[in-house]
Amino acid sequence: MEERLRNVLEAKQMKSLALAYIGDAVYELYVRKHLLETGQVKPQMLHQQAVTFVSARGQAAVILHWLDNDFLSEDEKRIVARGRNAKSGSVPKNISIQTYRYSTACEALIGYHYISENEQRLQELMQAAVTFITEGKIVDE
């Protein structure tokens, strides 16, 4: 328990972009595992499916859905706000700055739970994200 508390404190003190960095990897790994579990095996098909889940547009839609539906705790909302407000210095050309920032916020939240070793909540968030995207609720800009 003491080690987990130390991890939570460490995660709360980490820079948002560092949380987003690890969160991006955790998110993508979870999505890849999910896609393999659906029985898909062709690499090109797997890649096309993965892009839907791990795109900035998809991640931004997920986090906005969670915020709109009070799915997040107050602590999680603070992590999201920190991630959204982080200045990365570069933005991909094919999306808006707002979409990119919400995507970073989503990754920071995932990274926070991973670093904090909060496996149960991380699994809940990842399952909710996959369900949301699978149901096709992403709106193009």
Side-chain angles (χ1 to χ4, degrees):
M1 180 66 172
E2 189 174 306
E3 184 177 336
R4 187 179 176 309
L5 179 59
R6 193 172 20 255
N7 291 339
V8 169
L9 292 174
E10 178 184 324
K12 285 187 177 187
Q13 293 173 355
M14 287 183 95
K15 293 191 180 292
S16 298
L17 293 177
L19 291 174
Y21 176 76
I22 194 72
D24 178 51
V26 171
Y27 190 90
E28 184 160 352
L29 184 59
Y30 186 93
V31 165
R32 287 179 180 209
K33 183 176 179 250
H34 165 76
L35 292 174
L36 288 174
E37 288 171 350
T38 65
Q40 297 181 50
V41 292
K42 294 182 181 178
Q44 184 172 352
M45 185 62 109
L46 287 168
H47 177 73
Q48 289 172 346
Q49 289 285 320
V51 166
T52 303
F53 289 91
V54 299
S55 71
R57 186 171 287 119
Q59 292 173 338
V62 166
I63 202 74
L64 288 168
H65 173 72
W66 290 345
L67 289 168
D68 289 345
N69 291 282
D70 289 328
F71 189 65
L72 304 177
S73 70
E74 290 305 313
D75 278 346
E76 289 173 328
K77 288 177 186 177
R78 282 191 282 280
I79 298 296
V80 166
R82 282 180 44 210
R84 183 193 64 226
N85 294 331
K87 306 290 191 269
S88 68
S90 64
V91 178
K93 295 178 181 177
N94 61 340
I95 60 167
S96 73
I97 185 79
Q98 182 179 15
T99 299
Y100 182 71
R101 287 192 174 163
Y102 276 106
S103 171
T104 301
C106 183
E107 292 170 347
L109 180 61
I110 298 303
Y112 170 78
H113 283 296
Y114 179 78
I115 295 294
S116 298
E117 297 181 357
N118 190 353
E119 293 293 323
Q120 181 178 351
R121 183 60 174 161
L122 179 60
Q123 291 298 318
E124 288 172 6
L125 291 172
M126 292 307 305
Q127 186 57 52
V130 166
T131 300
F132 179 77
I133 292 171
T134 301
E135 291 176 358
K137 295 181 178 175
I138 298 174
V139 178
D140 286 335
E141 287 184 42

